[in-house]
Amino acid sequence: MPIAIPPHIRRVLNRLEARGHPAWCVGGCVRDSLLGRTPADWDVAAQACPEEVLACFPELPTVDTGRAHGTIGLVLPQGLVEVTAFRTDGPYSGHRRPESVRYAAAIEEDLARRDFTVNAMAWHPERGLRDPFGGRADLESGLLRCVGEPVRRFEEDALRILRLLRFAAVLGFAIHPAAQAAACQCRELLACLSPERVREELSKLLCGPAAARVLEENAALLFAALPELEPLSRCAQESPYHCWDAWGHSLRALEAAPAAPIDRWAALLHDCGKPAVKTYGPDGLAHFYGHAQAGVELAGALLSRLRFPNREREAILALVELHGQVLPLSEKRLKKLLARLGPQGFERLLGLMRADVLAQAPHLASGRLPLIVQAQREAEAVLARGDCLTVRDLALRGGDLLALGVPPGPRLGRTLNRLLDEVLAGTLANEKPGLTARAKELLEEDPIHM
Ligand code: ATP
Ligand code: MG
């Protein structure tokens, strides 16, 4: 089956070859094309060092952050195209990067440094497929196998351990037993990786359709990267609400959560506080009082360690904190949640609650799922009506209170919040005359602290 190369990539290959540099499409784009998937990007390997690549494209803006490793990024209107010299890697340092690279003469040599057989294929529109390690057969049988000796490859670069799990989760592939055993043997090297790279790989892994299976089969590897989660695997739930231990439950929630990073991280972490707060009641059942708050602390430390951007960290922690809402929600509670989380955050919360229910004992779902649907409908109605949700939505402003004689300062904010509470609870209409009258009453009730 020929691979359809986009015209702009074809032009890059043609230009390099016209100047005497054999060039190929390599790696992920070949793998994805053979799978019938649309490649995220097209990488080119060429027998050309960075200076030669630059000389071939004098008219183009370029990015040269990868230059020491032989890579030049060409900035085309269609996006960035990376052209990397055929290379073999010198000795590795820090279990992550080669100390030096050596340019190679043939594409086959370049393919030998790549991580997995399915990633070690090259395609050329005239010369066809180069597949020295049987990547195509492994693609057909859905198998991830290392190029070369697995332990040595993981010792060179421990990120490959996470890439292995990521490709298994995203592609739904099996891991070759030798690769799995080697990954397990090398798992302590994961501690050497930069937190950002761990985060990036895990975020992609978690969004893969086979993430739960892959993590279940390779839990020791995940726990080597995220030791905070290991106690979940020793935490039986011992209650009629649950049919899994806390780890099995977390994985089932992960599987049922929407496939986006914030939702999947929140599902993975939502119960991570349980082991620390487990107690037994007089009935002999296990209880986990306060586990959401304990989870916020543990997950917060984990997310900081992985250097999550603050906005994402806060979004995930809010979901961990709030995942145990009692349903049905009162109108006031619903509006408070909408005000705090915004429409998107609220939708995420319901997504997590749904995933949580689907990961509990099956007899509970029929009662709880309709309550989640109901909360969704009520939120839509509140948003459609444009109901007041925050002090900014009140028909009475801070300036109006000043005019009534409330002094500037904390008293002003307290009064607005008090009015908001009553509006949210539905006991006070969001209309200026009523709000003004109520504000006066509050001032009279509590004049001393004015
Ligand atoms: P995707 O772009 O979908 O994440 P990809 O396979 O293209 O997947 P990239 O990180 O873009 O992954 O890398 C491009 C290619 O470079 C890979 O297909 C593989 O051949 C090689 N490669 C990338 N990272 C490594 C690594 N850590 N060790 C060995 N080879 C690697
Ligand atoms: Mg790629």
Side-chain angles (χ1 to χ4, degrees):
M1 180 184 65
I3 289 177
I5 298 183
H8 68 284
I9 300 296
R10 184 69 216 245
R11 286 196 290 275
V12 169
L13 296 181
N14 287 349
R15 175 85 69 94
L16 286 160
E17 301 210 321
R19 305 199 176 203
H21 308 295
W24 300 75
C25 296
V26 278
C29 60
V30 180
R31 177 197 70 222
D32 288 342
S33 298
L34 290 174
L35 283 173
R37 297 172 175 238
T38 308
D41 45 33
W42 290 78
D43 293 325
V44 171
Q47 193 186 19
C49 65
E51 292 68 33
E52 291 169 323
V53 174
L54 290 172
C56 288
F57 300 94
E59 80 285 11
L60 285 184
T62 54
V63 177
D64 67 356
T65 42
R67 191 164 176 158
H69 295 98
T71 302
I72 291 292
L74 303 175
V75 182
L76 294 172
Q78 296 83 354
L80 186 73
V81 177
E82 294 198 323
V83 180
T84 303
F86 295 163
R87 51 172 245 219
T88 58
D89 295 337
Y92 280 72
S93 67
H95 304 291
R96 179 62 192 104
R97 289 211 168 277
E99 278 164 20
S100 59
V101 300
R102 191 173 61 72
Y103 295 129
I107 184 68
E108 283 78 6
E109 262 189 278
D110 180 85
L111 294 173
R113 74 170 168 89
R114 294 173 184 270
D115 47 8
F116 306 114
T117 61
V118 296
N119 287 346
M121 290 183 276
W123 171 261
H124 186 279
E126 275 118 37
R127 297 188 292 273
L129 190 69
R130 282 287 185 284
D131 177 20
F133 305 103
R136 186 163 197 174
D138 285 342
L139 263 191
E140 272 155 25
S141 43
L143 187 63
L144 290 165
R145 187 199 304 260
C146 292
V147 172
E149 208 281 299
V151 172
R152 190 171 71 81
R153 302 311 310 281
F154 292 135
E155 277 175 355
E156 284 172 354
D157 179 358
L159 191 71
R160 290 173 189 150
I161 299 174
L162 296 182
R163 286 173 58 87
L164 178 73
L165 301 186
R166 189 246 288 191
F167 289 119
V170 170
L171 302 174
F173 279 19
I175 296 174
H176 189 278
Q180 188 169 33
C184 219
Q185 184 183 328
C186 299
R187 67 183 182 276
E188 263 147 47
L189 302 179
L190 291 172
C192 307
L193 296 175
S194 90
E196 290 85 350
R197 296 311 302 269
V198 172
R199 180 189 78 222
E200 282 168 21
E201 282 305 323
L202 289 181
S203 290
K204 291 183 193 165
L205 188 172
L206 292 180
C207 293
R213 172 183 62 78
V214 169
L215 293 182
E216 184 147 48
E217 291 169 1
N218 299 278
L221 298 182
L222 183 76
F223 298 153
L226 305 179
E228 295 91 339
L229 299 189
E230 201 267 340
L232 279 173
S233 67
R234 288 180 274 106
C235 182
Q237 304 216 73
E238 303 169 74
S239 111
Y241 302 119
H242 288 285
C243 50
W244 312 101
D245 66 16
W247 172 237
H249 166 74
S250 302
L251 289 179
R252 271 150 198 96
L254 170 76
E255 191 163 41
I262 288 177
D263 304 77
R264 289 279 168 111
W265 275 105
L268 181 71
L269 299 175
H270 78 285
D271 272 350
C272 72
K274 275 189 169 173
V277 301
K278 183 171 175 179
T279 53
Y280 289 92
D283 48 5
L285 298 180
H287 296 285
F288 301 97
Y289 301 117
H291 77 271
Q293 201 48 49
V296 168
E297 267 151 50
L298 195 63
L302 181 153
L303 297 170
S304 299
R305 183 166 63 73
L306 296 186
R307 311 235 169 89
F308 265 80
N310 227 6
R311 209 184 45 78
E312 288 171 34
R313 178 177 179 276
E314 294 305 319
I316 296 166
L317 292 181
L319 295 172
V320 173
E321 178 192 332
L322 299 169
H323 77 268
Q325 296 302 306
V326 178
L327 296 176
L329 296 171
S330 70
E331 184 168 342
K332 181 172 172 187
R333 183 81 194 129
L334 171 72
K335 289 180 177 177
K336 287 233 160 185
L337 287 169
L338 274 172
R340 169 157 172 207
L341 299 171
Q344 190 192 21
F346 185 79
E347 192 175 326
R348 284 197 185 117
L349 178 62
L350 292 186
L352 175 60
M353 290 169 63
R354 183 174 171 278
D356 197 8
V357 168
L358 291 173
Q360 291 169 355
H363 68 271
L364 295 173
S366 59
R368 291 196 183 173
L369 289 177
L371 294 176
I372 293 175
V373 175
Q374 183 190 331
Q376 173 73 48
R377 287 217 196 90
E378 285 167 0
E380 280 161 13
V382 165
L383 292 168
R385 285 198 303 267
D387 281 2
C388 167
L389 296 175
T390 70
V391 283
R392 287 187 305 281
D393 304 329
L394 282 174
L396 195 76
R397 311 248 118 205
D400 300 321
L401 289 180
L402 290 175
L404 288 177
V406 182
R411 178 70 189 260
L412 197 75
R414 272 208 310 277
T415 310
L416 285 171
N417 277 317
R418 185 77 193 267
L419 293 172
L420 176 67
D421 268 356
E422 296 182 15
V423 171
L424 292 183
T427 52
L428 183 64
N430 187 23
E431 288 158 5
K432 198 162 178 181
L435 290 170
T436 310
R438 182 68 183 130
K440 283 187 185 150
E441 264 175 43
L442 291 173
L443 287 179
E444 278 159 23
E445 276 171 24
D446 188 16
I448 312 139
H449 300 109
M450 280 183 65

